[in-house]
C-alpha cells in the first residue's frame, strides 16, 4: 500500500527518480485507469505513480477516465495525491518553466464523467468544494520549493478548459477577466473526484507556454515540449524534497 500518489501529466509519463518495485494493472467499477499503477520508492518514500494520459501519452484530456484513475489510486492506499499538470500561463509572472501551486479552480469543461454520485442518492452528494485543494499539501509543496530553490508562484486560479484544442486569444482574455492565472485541460473533474473520495489533493502545475494571445503568435507542441523538459526536471527536484516530509520514515 502506498499512502501518496503522484499523477503525471504531459511531459511526466515516467518518474526518473522512482525506483520501481512493481506495475499493477487495475480494474475499477468505473472502468480501467489510464495505465497500470507503478509502485516504487523515491528515496525512502513509497509512492504510487499513474501517467494521466497513459504510459505512451495516447489519451487526450477529454478522454481520460478520471473516475477510474482516482478510484484505483485510493484502492492502492493513497490518501494524498500530488497532481502534476502542464498549463498555459495567463498572468505575466507565469512564464514557461515556472511552477504554480494554485488555490482555486474554475471549471469550464463539459460532458465529462465528473462524479461518483450517479445512482446511489442515499449518500451525501453535495461535497464542500469551497477550497478545492488540500491546504496542507499545498503548504508542503510551497515550503519544499523554497527549501530546494525551485521558483514557484503560490496561489492563483486554475481554469480547466475542455480541449483538446488550445484556446483563442479572446477566450484567454475572458479567463483573465474571470480571475484565472493559469489554464489547463485536466484539472477538472480530477480535483472534485478526489474530494468526493476524501483524498487530499493538490496541483503542481508547470507552465509550458504563455497562454494564447499572451506570447508567441502561435503555440507549437515543440515549444511546449521544450519548456516542459526543463520544467519537469524542476518537478522532480521538488518531489525529492517534499516526499520525505509527507512520508517520514517509520
Ligand atoms: N491551454 C490549455 N492547456 C494547456 C496549455 C494551454 O495554453 N498549455 C498546456 N496545457
Amino acid at each position: 500500500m502506498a499512502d501518496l500518489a503522484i499523477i503525471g501529466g504531459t511531459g511526466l509519463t515516467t518518474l526518473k527518480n522512482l525506483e520501481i518495485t512493481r506495475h499493477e494493472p487495475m480494474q475499477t467499477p468505473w472502468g480501467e485507469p489510464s495505465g497500470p499503477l507503478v509502485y516504487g520508492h523515491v528515496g525512502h518514500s513509497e509512492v504510487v505513480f499513474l501517467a494521466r494520459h497513459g504510459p505512451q501519452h495516447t489519451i487526450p484530456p477529454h478522454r481520460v477516465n478520471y473516475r477510474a484513475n482516482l478510484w484505483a489510486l485510493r484502492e492502492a492506499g493513497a490518501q494524498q495525491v500530488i497532481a502534476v499538470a502542464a498549463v498555459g500561463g495567463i498572468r505575466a509572472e507565469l512564464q514557461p518553466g515556472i511552477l504554480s501551486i494554485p488555490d482555486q479552480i474554475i471549471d469550464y469543461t463539459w460532458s465529462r464523467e465528473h462524479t461518483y454520485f450517479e445512482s446511489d442518492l442515499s449518500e451525501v452528494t453535495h461535497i464542500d468544494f469551497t477550497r478545492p485543494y488540500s491546504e496542507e499539501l499545498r503548504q508542503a509543496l510551497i515550503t519544499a520549493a523554497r527549501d530546494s530553490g525551485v521558483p514557484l508562484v503560490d496561489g492563483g486560479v486554475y481554469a480547466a478548459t475542455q480541449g483538446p484544442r488550445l484556446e483563442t486569444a479572446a477566450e484567454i482574455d475572458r479567463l483573465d477577466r474571470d480571475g484565472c492565472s493559469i489554464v489547463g485541460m485536466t484539472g477538472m473533474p480530477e480535483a472534485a473526484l478526489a474530494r468526493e473520495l476524501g483524498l487530499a489533493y493538490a496541483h503542481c502545475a508547470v507552465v509550458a507556454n504563455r497562454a494564447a494571445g499572451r506570447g508567441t503568435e502561435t503555440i507549437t507542441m515543440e515549444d511546449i515540449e521544450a519548456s516542459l523538459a526543463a520544467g519537469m526536471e524542476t518537478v522532480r527536484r521538488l518531489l525529492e524534497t517534499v516526499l520525505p516530509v509527507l512520508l517520514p520514515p517509520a
Side-chain angles (χ1 to χ4, degrees):
M1 299 291 264
D3 180 71
L4 188 140
I6 298 164
I7 301 179
T10 303
L12 194 72
T13 47
T14 57
L15 253 191
K16 244 195 242 162
N17 43 358
L18 180 70
E19 257 179 63
I20 296 173
T21 50
R22 68 197 157 97
H23 289 82
E24 192 170 312
M26 296 273 289
Q27 267 299 338
T28 79
W30 312 98
E32 249 182 80
S34 298
L37 302 191
V38 183
Y39 289 84
H41 299 268
V42 176
H44 292 293
S45 313
E46 180 162 45
V47 298
V48 54
F49 177 81
L50 178 61
R52 185 187 287 113
H53 299 284
Q56 309 302 328
H57 203 272
T58 48
I59 310 171
H62 61 294
R63 292 266 183 223
V64 170
N65 189 339
Y66 296 96
R67 291 194 296 191
N69 285 356
L70 272 306
W71 193 272
L73 293 174
R74 191 185 61 165
E75 288 286 292
Q79 290 299 314
Q80 315 179 69
V81 180
I82 298 176
V84 181
V87 295
I90 300 174
R91 295 285 153 88
E93 70 271 26
L94 289 148
Q95 295 292 326
I98 299 271
L99 304 195
S100 157
I101 313 293
D103 58 4
Q104 279 294 332
I105 305 178
I106 300 181
D107 188 5
Y108 300 92
T109 66
W110 42 272
S111 81
R112 297 183 179 189
E113 304 288 4
H114 65 285
T115 180
Y116 293 107
F117 298 118
E118 292 276 35
S119 53
D120 180 5
L121 300 184
S122 61
E123 290 184 57
V124 175
T125 56
H126 305 295
I127 51 151
D128 175 71
F129 206 44
T130 311
R131 311 265 166 237
Y133 297 112
S134 155
E135 194 52 29
E136 220 175 305
L137 257 189
R138 286 190 64 253
Q139 289 308 326
L141 287 164
I142 290 156
T143 306
R146 289 202 184 112
D147 291 350
S148 51
V150 165
L152 171 143
V153 174
D154 169 5
V157 181
Y158 177 113
T161 55
Q162 178 71 358
R165 68 165 176 84
L166 295 164
E167 298 71 34
T168 66
E171 285 169 335
I172 292 298
D173 287 342
R174 172 188 165 210
L175 299 184
D176 200 355
R177 288 194 299 276
D178 282 356
C180 299
S181 39
I182 52 176
V183 54
M185 300 173 191
T186 57
M188 287 292 281
E190 199 173 83
L193 292 167
R195 180 62 57 84
E196 286 190 352
L197 293 181
L199 306 175
Y201 176 100
H203 254 132
C204 176
V206 185
V207 179
N209 56 283
R210 298 286 298 136
R214 294 287 190 275
T216 50
E217 187 51 32
T218 50
I219 302 168
T220 66
M221 277 316 287
E222 289 72 34
D223 289 344
I224 289 186
E225 278 159 16
S227 313
L228 281 182
M232 290 305 166
E233 278 312 313
T234 318
V235 171
R236 290 187 180 104
R237 217 163 83 217
L238 178 62
L239 290 175
E240 270 175 11
T241 312
V242 80
L243 291 179
V245 177
L246 294 171
L247 299 170

